[in-house]
Amino acid sequence: MNYPTNLFTFQRVSDRMKRIGRGSIIYTFSPKHKPAEVASPGEYVLFETEDAFGGQVKGEETPPDKLDWSRVDGATGPLYIEGADLGDTLVVDILDIRLQEKGAIAVIPGYGGLSHLSFAPKAKVVRIDGSFVYFNDIRIPIKPMIGTIGVAPKEGEIPAGNPGKHGGNMDVSELGVGRRLYLPVFTKGALLALGDLHAVQADGELCVSAIESPGEVLVRVNLIKGRMPNWPILETSESFQVITAGKDLDEAVREAAEESIRAIMRAKGIPFEDAYMLGSLLVELKINQVVDPLLGARARVPKWLVSIHDFLH
Amino acid sequence: MNYPTNLFTFQRVSDRMKRIGRGSIIYTFSPKHKPAEVASPGEYVLFETEDAFGGQVKGEETPPDKLDWSRVDGATGPLYIEGADLGDTLVVDILDIRLQEKGAIAVIPGYGGLSHLSFAPKAKVVRIDGSFVYFNDIRIPIKPMIGTIGVAPKEGEIPAGNPGKHGGNMDVSELGVGRRLYLPVFTKGALLALGDLHAVQADGELCVSAIESPGEVLVRVNLIKGRMPNWPILETSESFQVITAGKDLDEAVREAAEESIRAIMRAKGIPFEDAYMLGSLLVELKINQVVDPLLGARARVPKWLVSIHDFLH
């Protein structure tokens, strides 16, 4: 049923990884949730995930405007990380993502980046293989990614469909295999959960969903003690990216930009004015999604300019 | 004084290109301006451009909050294109960009993406060579681009510092050598003008200016008769990109996304709902700048999915 994207990694650690099954699903990020599993820093954990529709979209005959919304946008977990305390940074290495061979996408009137237009509800189920998604007669290269990944807030609960400082439904197209994510820890054990895998999604996630597929995600967790970022930070081979959310794109962009400029000031020991200029030349502002309850942006700073410690407080 | 980015191109056409000097500068796009030069479709034209500060930033001692704003954001031109009429498309091939060896950047309180913060006015003049900008002790790879390029509106006048359907101050980081720009023609002769060259600018142009340098731009102009795009379209080797502007990023993104989805509908002969889904998978939403009078976005559609004709009406 599954195709492997990185069989070597799965096999190498399969005898020593912990596993959280698809049955352990939460619909909010909250300190109230009982841990599904416990891991120590350095340990490997496999999360089995449900798709964002909760498996409800079975084919073109499924009316996507009649979904049971209480089963939408779930995340698998939470994972309690030993030794994680308020003020620490949780470091998550995304080692592998395996998707099932079927994915679903839907448009729902009133939703998405073009929700002001009139259109009909429609769902589509597509085949996925190790290289492509097959949409009508169009082959689209896959780029598996994690839509939702986050920790519990300090108190209360945040719907798993929302993005925020805790992470959550960030829908960042670059959050795939080989990437590292730094999350602020707000509560004992951090309480990591993830889900909402996408076989492919463009920056924007325009229609409100992407190719949604159940799957498995292998991660390794670690901690940086005593310091944390203001917002989640994505590390790629060439950049650090501040991932933010706001009531509109302008607010999300402002937050990401300011955090990046502060990091450049620290990295180079320069005043705000110089860092602001450098930001104009080197900080790429990008759009994550324009469709969640809060809109998402990210600011990409090249790694040769800053280190992760410049983002931690 | 100049360094060549593509000496071959300049030499090859130097005996048959027209030239518009730095003296022909306009501060608005308008049908009222007398043409500085006339060209036929297929002709090569070299535009000599002033920097966006009008050459007023001479060094760190220049107070950027005391600029003469009537000399800021000029464009060289306009060029009258024979045979261009309302409803046509002006096709501009960017063949070469040559920058001078000095550039300037400034931050001005109240301006830029972080204008809500308190900071001091500051200017910086930097050296530019064929590969890098030298900012403090930091070498930044150059990526020469055109900040302002546009045509006259049907009537009235639009300040050359603004972006819009006519083009203008779009500040698109990818608008460099080897790229093609499609502009709607609103008035007889189109009246093309360009300026505001940047040695390097990240998506966002966060601090309100980039590395601003005088220079020369070699273009070839052509026409598509009887059809035009709703917004400027940038063609790269792999994509068509709809370039829009709005009172905020959300509005700019919505315009760019809708235009892209319409093009996909035409290209594939599919209903809105399917094109909307494909947009979620394949249309990358990007930020141009968050600092001009209107904010700018673009939507990138891969070339294998659409042709330029799908964007023309």
Side-chain angles (χ1 to χ4, degrees):
Chain A
M1 268 299 287
N2 290 326
Y3 76 90
T5 58
N6 191 351
L7 194 59
F8 177 74
T9 304
F10 267 79
Q11 288 180 338
R12 189 167 55 85
V13 305
S14 62
D15 56 335
R16 53 200 166 100
M17 68 188 180
K18 291 183 167 169
R19 182 184 290 263
I20 304 181
R22 222 158 258 132
S24 297
I25 194 158
I26 56 178
Y27 294 94
T28 61
F29 287 93
S30 170
K32 79 175 188 184
H33 295 304
K34 193 166 167 282
E37 183 56 272
V38 178
S40 297
E43 277 201 287
Y44 297 91
V45 184
L46 183 79
F47 291 76
E48 294 177 356
T49 66
E50 189 48 276
D51 76 33
F53 298 120
Q56 296 178 84
V57 177
K58 306 281 190 202
E60 307 230 351
E61 71 287 357
T62 303
D65 53 338
K66 300 277 169 16
L67 294 179
D68 173 359
W69 287 89
S70 73
R71 291 168 56 202
V72 165
D73 284 331
T76 298
L79 175 70
Y80 184 102
I81 291 98
E82 296 272 18
D85 290 303
L86 171 64
D88 296 343
T89 299
L90 177 63
V91 185
V92 184
D93 284 309
I94 316 298
L95 299 175
D96 209 348
I97 298 176
R98 308 209 295 186
L99 301 176
Q100 289 191 4
E101 288 174 346
K102 259 168 78 171
I105 184 169
V107 295
I108 305 164
Y111 285 83
L114 300 179
S115 58
H116 61 294
L117 300 179
S118 169
F119 55 90
K122 187 167 185 176
K124 195 174 282 285
V125 170
V126 302
R127 185 165 70 84
I128 307 171
D129 68 19
S131 302
F132 296 98
V133 157
Y134 299 84
F135 183 105
N136 297 352
D137 58 341
I138 302 168
R139 280 195 332 178
I140 301 171
I142 63 163
K143 193 183 163 192
M145 52 156 279
I146 302 171
T148 298
I149 178 168
V151 295
K154 200 167 173 183
E155 53 193 10
E157 51 186 332
I158 302 174
N162 293 30
K165 292 194 171 189
H166 71 295
N169 187 24
M170 299 183 286
D171 288 321
V172 173
S173 65
E174 295 186 81
L175 193 44
V177 174
R179 304 288 156 77
R180 176 174 287 179
L181 183 67
Y182 300 87
L183 290 164
V185 177
F186 296 112
T187 191
K188 213 166 165 58
L191 300 179
L192 177 71
L194 62 85
D196 185 29
L197 302 184
H198 298 161
V200 56
Q201 178 217 300
D203 276 352
E205 203 190 14
L206 189 58
C207 89
V208 86
S209 60
I211 298 295
E212 313 286 341
S213 171
E216 299 177 347
V217 178
L218 180 64
V219 306
R220 186 174 42 208
V221 290
N222 273 294
L223 290 173
I224 299 172
K225 293 294 296 176
R227 303 181 71 201
M228 70 176 191
N230 278 337
W231 290 92
I233 310 287
L234 167 65
E235 180 178 348
T236 72
S237 58
E238 297 193 338
S239 66
F240 292 104
Q241 302 185 19
V242 184
I243 301 170
T244 58
K247 65 181 185 307
D248 53 31
L249 280 177
D250 302 272
E251 182 177 282
V253 159
R254 208 160 41 236
E255 291 280 351
E258 183 169 344
E259 204 62 18
S260 301
I261 300 307
R262 303 279 180 217
I264 294 172
M265 289 172 67
R266 276 189 289 270
K268 309 304 287 185
I270 55 179
F272 176 86
E273 291 76 10
D274 280 29
Y276 195 20
M277 291 180 190
L278 281 172
S280 215
L281 308 178
L282 292 169
V283 174
E284 302 283 352
L285 301 181
K286 289 170 174 279
I287 292 168
N288 302 333
Q289 51 73 28
V290 295
V291 299
D292 292 334
L294 293 173
L295 275 55
R298 63 193 191 278
R300 180 195 184 280
V301 191
K303 252 180 175 172
W304 57 264
L305 195 62
V306 294
S307 84
I308 185 60
H309 296 285
D310 301 314
F311 293 96
L312 305 184
H313 304 274
Chain B
M1 268 300 286
N2 290 328
Y3 77 89
T5 58
N6 191 349
L7 195 57
F8 176 74
T9 304
F10 267 79
Q11 288 179 338
R12 190 167 54 86
V13 304
S14 63
D15 57 335
R16 53 199 167 101
M17 69 188 179
K18 291 183 167 170
R19 181 184 290 263
I20 305 181
R22 223 158 258 132
S24 297
I25 192 158
I26 55 178
Y27 295 95
T28 62
F29 287 92
S30 172
K32 78 174 189 183
H33 295 304
K34 193 166 166 283
E37 183 57 271
V38 178
S40 297
E43 278 201 285
Y44 297 91
V45 184
L46 182 80
F47 291 75
E48 295 178 357
T49 66
E50 189 48 274
D51 76 33
F53 297 122
Q56 295 179 84
V57 177
K58 306 284 189 198
E60 305 231 351
E61 71 286 358
T62 304
D65 53 338
K66 299 279 171 14
L67 294 179
D68 173 358
W69 287 89
S70 73
R71 291 167 56 200
V72 165
D73 283 330
T76 298
L79 175 70
Y80 184 101
I81 291 97
E82 296 272 18
D85 290 302
L86 171 64
D88 295 343
T89 299
L90 177 62
V91 185
V92 185
D93 284 308
I94 315 298
L95 299 175
D96 209 349
I97 298 175
R98 309 209 295 186
L99 302 175
Q100 289 191 4
E101 289 174 344
K102 259 168 79 171
I105 185 170
V107 295
I108 305 165
Y111 285 83
L114 300 180
S115 58
H116 61 293
L117 300 179
S118 169
F119 56 89
K122 188 167 185 178
K124 195 174 283 284
V125 170
V126 302
R127 185 164 71 85
I128 306 171
D129 67 21
S131 302
F132 296 100
V133 158
Y134 298 85
F135 183 105
N136 297 351
D137 59 341
I138 302 168
R139 280 194 335 177
I140 301 171
I142 63 164
K143 193 182 162 193
M145 53 157 277
I146 302 171
T148 298
I149 178 169
V151 295
K154 201 168 173 183
E155 53 191 10
E157 49 186 334
I158 302 173
N162 292 31
K165 293 194 170 189
H166 71 297
N169 188 24
M170 299 182 287
D171 289 320
V172 173
S173 65
E174 295 186 82
L175 192 43
V177 173
R179 305 287 156 77
R180 177 174 287 180
L181 184 67
Y182 301 86
L183 290 165
V185 176
F186 296 112
T187 190
K188 212 168 166 54
L191 299 180
L192 177 71
L194 62 85
D196 185 29
L197 302 184
H198 298 162
V200 56
Q201 178 217 299
D203 276 352
E205 203 190 14
L206 187 60
C207 89
V208 86
S209 59
I211 299 295
E212 312 286 341
S213 170
E216 299 176 347
V217 179
L218 179 65
V219 307
R220 186 174 42 210
V221 290
N222 274 294
L223 291 173
I224 298 171
K225 293 295 296 177
R227 301 181 72 201
M228 69 177 192
N230 278 337
W231 290 93
I233 309 287
L234 167 66
E235 179 178 349
T236 72
S237 58
E238 298 193 336
S239 66
F240 292 104
Q241 302 185 18
V242 184
I243 301 170
T244 58
K247 64 179 188 307
D248 53 32
L249 280 177
D250 302 272
E251 181 177 283
V253 159
R254 205 158 45 235
E255 290 280 351
E258 182 169 345
E259 204 61 19
S260 301
I261 298 310
R262 303 279 179 214
I264 294 172
M265 289 171 67
R266 277 188 289 269
K268 308 306 287 185
I270 54 178
F272 177 86
E273 291 76 10
D274 280 29
Y276 196 20
M277 290 180 190
L278 281 173
S280 216
L281 309 178
L282 291 169
V283 174
E284 301 283 352
L285 301 181
K286 289 170 173 280
I287 292 168
N288 303 333
Q289 50 74 27
V290 294
V291 299
D292 291 334
L294 293 173
L295 274 54
R298 64 192 190 277
R300 180 196 183 281
V301 191
K303 253 178 175 173
W304 58 262
L305 195 62
V306 294
S307 85
I308 185 61
H309 296 285
D310 301 314
F311 293 97
L312 305 184
H313 305 273

